[in-house]
């Protein structure tokens, strides 16, 4: 890349179907695709990352918002990175002398970030899509500035009960409401102790909706929290299935927050996806270049990408019985199946 560029720290919001990837995060020393590896490669091919920084995320000021596990999707995840902006990304009506030096102070307003967005997306596979580019401060870090995370989980009603969704949704609602507030979630992760301060997590709300896809009933859960430990959400979803399948008392959830060790089944990764990350605290600062909010045009792009995830989850159950086969195996093993091991130890960064 020519030296005729300036650097600009930005926040990329992007969605992906995680079925073909071994999680979000690039992992050194292993040879498999991750979402970050595809995104970082697209930035390099787009001439937005300096060649000498092509093998080191840290040199580009990289920070991530949610390290989703293998098979987990995202509707709107976030990554911050320093982009190298040259003249090819200037607005069409800008007149430039080829020999004129580019500088951030002089040329910042000339950049067409729509062009930047289109070039990045042209170099990405169809199951990854960048929705928006927002300018951020030089010291911005996604993990440190994230205030809340919103996740969704979709699962067929049939893995809870043979009854119709409308007959059991009230009980499902009452069960998941037990998670709201601050609780000790040591039983919802692997190898975590009751005394570990990381086990304390705050859930703001959980909403449950019933919908149909090709006449099959599904539950959709929207989980709103500050941050989540490794496997927490999938075990929150799993324990609700467990209560129905093993005919456990509703108080089983209450007991999981106490000083004990209880077995909780791990719901399939295929139903989980990150909805979005919010930055309320950062948005109150007076010296930021842009507020990090989902604008109307961003929401249109996000809504257009949603079927890439939701339809895929539902179709996998209808065509391949993803959840039904999982439940069948679980029953054969008397609800005592080993959890998969992964190199990512959190669903979110704290």
């Amino acid at each position: 890349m020519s030296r005729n560029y300036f650097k600009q720290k930005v926040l990329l919001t992007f969605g992906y179907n995680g079925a073909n990837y071994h999680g979000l995060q690039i992992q050194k020393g292993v040879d498999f695709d991750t979402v970050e590896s595809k995104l970082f490669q697209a930035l390099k091919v787009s001439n937005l990352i300096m060649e000498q920084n092509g093998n080191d995320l840290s040199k580009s000021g990289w920070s991530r918002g949610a390290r989703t596990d293998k098979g987990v999707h995202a509707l709107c995840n976030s990554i911050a990175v320093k982009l190298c902006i040259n003249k090819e990304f200037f607005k069409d009506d800008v007149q430039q002398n080829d020999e004129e030096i580019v500088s951030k102070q002089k040329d910042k307003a000339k950049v067409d970030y729509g062009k930047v967005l289109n070039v990045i997306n042209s170099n990405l596979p169809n199951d990854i899509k960048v929705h928006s580019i927002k300018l951020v401060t030089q010291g911005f870090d996604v993990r440190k500035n994230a205030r809340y995370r919103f996740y969704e989980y979709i699962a067929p009603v049939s893995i809870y009960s043979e009854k119709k969704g409308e007959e059991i949704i009230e009980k499902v609602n009452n069960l998941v409401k037990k998670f709201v507030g601050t609780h000790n979630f040591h039983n919802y992760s692997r190898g975590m102790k009751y005394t570990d301060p990381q086990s304390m997590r705050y859930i703001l709300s959980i909403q449950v909706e019933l919908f149909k896809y090709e006449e099959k009933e599904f539950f959709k859960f929207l989980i709103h929290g500050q941050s989540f430990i490794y496997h927490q959400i999938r075990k929150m979803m799993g324990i609700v299935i467990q209560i129905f399948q093993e005919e456990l008392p509703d108080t089983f959830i209450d007991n999981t927050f106490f000083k004990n060790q209880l077995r909780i089944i791990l719901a399939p990764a295929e139903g989980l996806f990150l909805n979005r990350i919010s930055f309320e605290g950062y948005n109150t600062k007076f010296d930021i270049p842009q507020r990090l909010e989902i604008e109307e045009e961003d929401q249109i792009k996000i809504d257009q990408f949603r079927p890439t995830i939701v339809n895929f989850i539902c179709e996998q159950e209808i065509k391949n019985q993803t959840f039904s086969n999982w439940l069948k195996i679980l029953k054969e093993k008397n609800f005592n199946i080993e959890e998969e091991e992964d190199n990512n130890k959190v669903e979110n960064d704290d």
Side-chain angles (χ1 to χ4, degrees):
M1 179 187 291
S2 168
R3 288 291 297 172
N4 202 11
Y5 65 85
F6 68 85
K7 287 187 177 181
Q8 175 63 56
K9 187 78 169 282
V10 301
L11 181 76
L12 304 179
T13 62
F14 60 102
Y16 50 90
N17 180 316
N20 295 321
Y21 303 102
H22 203 94
L24 171 80
Q25 188 177 1
I26 288 178
Q27 298 178 35
K28 295 181 179 179
V30 291
D31 186 22
F32 42 62
D33 287 337
T34 68
V35 177
E36 273 190 348
S37 67
K38 292 294 186 182
L39 183 56
F40 194 53
Q41 179 63 27
L43 294 177
K44 289 191 290 184
V45 173
S46 302
N47 291 327
L48 290 162
I49 297 289
M50 293 173 61
E51 186 175 347
Q52 56 265 43
N53 295 341
N55 295 315
D56 192 340
L57 295 180
S58 63
K59 290 182 178 179
S60 296
W62 194 276
S63 64
R64 61 186 65 84
R67 293 187 288 191
T68 54
D69 295 338
K70 178 182 178 181
V72 176
H73 320 288
L75 185 61
C76 194
N77 205 340
S78 300
I79 278 178
V81 60
K82 292 178 183 177
L83 299 183
C84 298
I85 307 295
N86 59 36
K87 294 179 182 180
E88 69 176 288
F89 298 112
F90 284 4
K91 297 171 184 176
D92 292 334
D93 58 354
V94 172
Q95 298 296 319
Q96 284 286 334
N97 185 325
D98 288 340
E99 297 182 357
E100 188 177 352
I101 299 299
V102 173
S103 71
K104 185 174 182 179
Q105 290 74 21
K106 177 170 64 71
D107 293 324
K108 186 175 179 180
K110 299 177 182 178
V111 180
D112 183 345
Y113 283 99
K115 279 187 179 181
V116 179
L117 187 71
N118 290 337
V119 170
I120 296 172
N121 281 326
S122 71
N123 290 310
L124 283 170
N126 291 333
D127 52 8
I128 304 175
K129 184 82 169 181
V130 176
H131 304 310
S132 68
I133 300 174
K134 309 285 186 184
L135 306 187
V136 294
T137 57
Q138 282 297 106
F140 180 85
D141 183 283
V142 181
R143 181 181 63 84
K144 293 178 181 178
N145 286 282
R147 176 65 62 84
Y148 300 116
R149 280 98 170 173
F150 298 78
Y151 272 89
E152 291 187 42
Y153 192 85
I154 291 176
V157 171
S158 57
I159 65 171
Y160 298 86
S161 170
E162 294 181 356
K163 296 180 179 179
K164 292 184 178 181
E166 60 186 14
E167 297 180 61
I168 64 171
I169 190 170
E170 183 177 356
K171 179 175 181 177
V172 172
N173 259 308
N174 290 335
L175 289 173
V176 296
K177 283 179 181 177
K178 291 177 178 289
F179 294 121
V180 176
T182 302
H183 299 288
N184 190 313
F185 283 95
H186 70 288
N187 275 310
Y188 293 78
S189 191
R190 189 167 186 164
M192 185 166 282
K193 297 181 180 180
Y194 178 79
T195 53
D196 192 329
Q198 292 296 314
S199 66
M200 299 299 294
R201 299 287 154 156
Y202 177 44
I203 306 295
L204 281 81
S205 66
I206 303 183
Q207 300 173 0
V208 188
E209 297 177 6
L210 177 66
F211 72 96
K212 281 188 177 182
Y213 186 89
E214 294 185 5
E215 300 306 312
K216 188 172 182 67
E217 289 190 319
F218 290 85
F219 283 134
K220 180 180 74 174
F221 300 82
L222 180 62
I223 304 106
H224 178 192
Q226 286 183 327
S227 61
F228 300 90
I229 53 178
Y230 178 60
H231 280 167
Q232 179 184 339
I233 296 176
R234 289 172 60 191
K235 285 204 167 189
M236 288 166 58
M237 299 294 98
I239 199 172
V240 178
I241 300 167
Q242 190 173 348
I243 286 172
F244 276 92
Q245 288 292 330
E246 297 192 70
E247 298 182 349
L248 299 172
D250 294 3
T251 53
F252 186 67
I253 290 179
D254 303 286
N255 293 335
T256 64
F257 303 135
F258 298 135
K259 191 176 181 180
N260 51 37
Q261 292 294 324
L262 297 176
R263 176 183 55 83
I264 301 174
I265 65 174
L266 183 68
E270 287 82 357
L272 180 62
F273 64 95
L274 176 71
N275 176 288
R276 59 188 168 94
I277 300 171
S278 64
F279 301 93
E280 281 89 341
Y282 174 84
N283 286 337
T284 63
K285 297 180 178 181
F286 70 91
D287 58 344
I288 58 175
Q290 281 183 280
R291 290 173 62 87
L292 302 182
E293 297 175 329
I294 298 176
E295 299 173 12
E296 184 176 353
E297 60 182 286
D298 303 332
Q299 190 62 56
I300 291 172
K301 296 174 185 176
I302 293 168
D303 291 342
Q304 289 172 342
F305 190 78
R306 173 177 277 273
T308 305
I309 297 173
V310 175
N311 293 4
F312 177 82
I313 294 171
C314 296
E315 287 170 3
Q316 287 299 299
E317 171 60 16
I318 293 171
K319 296 176 181 178
N320 302 322
Q321 288 77 54
T322 303
F323 291 89
S324 301
N325 289 334
W326 165 81
L327 182 60
K328 181 181 178 181
I329 294 171
L330 203 59
K331 286 182 175 180
E332 290 173 353
K333 294 182 177 289
N334 196 26
F335 292 91
N336 189 20
I337 190 169
E338 291 186 8
E339 298 172 13
E340 74 260 24
E341 187 63 75
D342 202 342
N343 291 325
N344 286 343
K345 290 301 180 187
V346 287
E347 280 161 351
N348 278 22
D349 285 355
D350 293 338

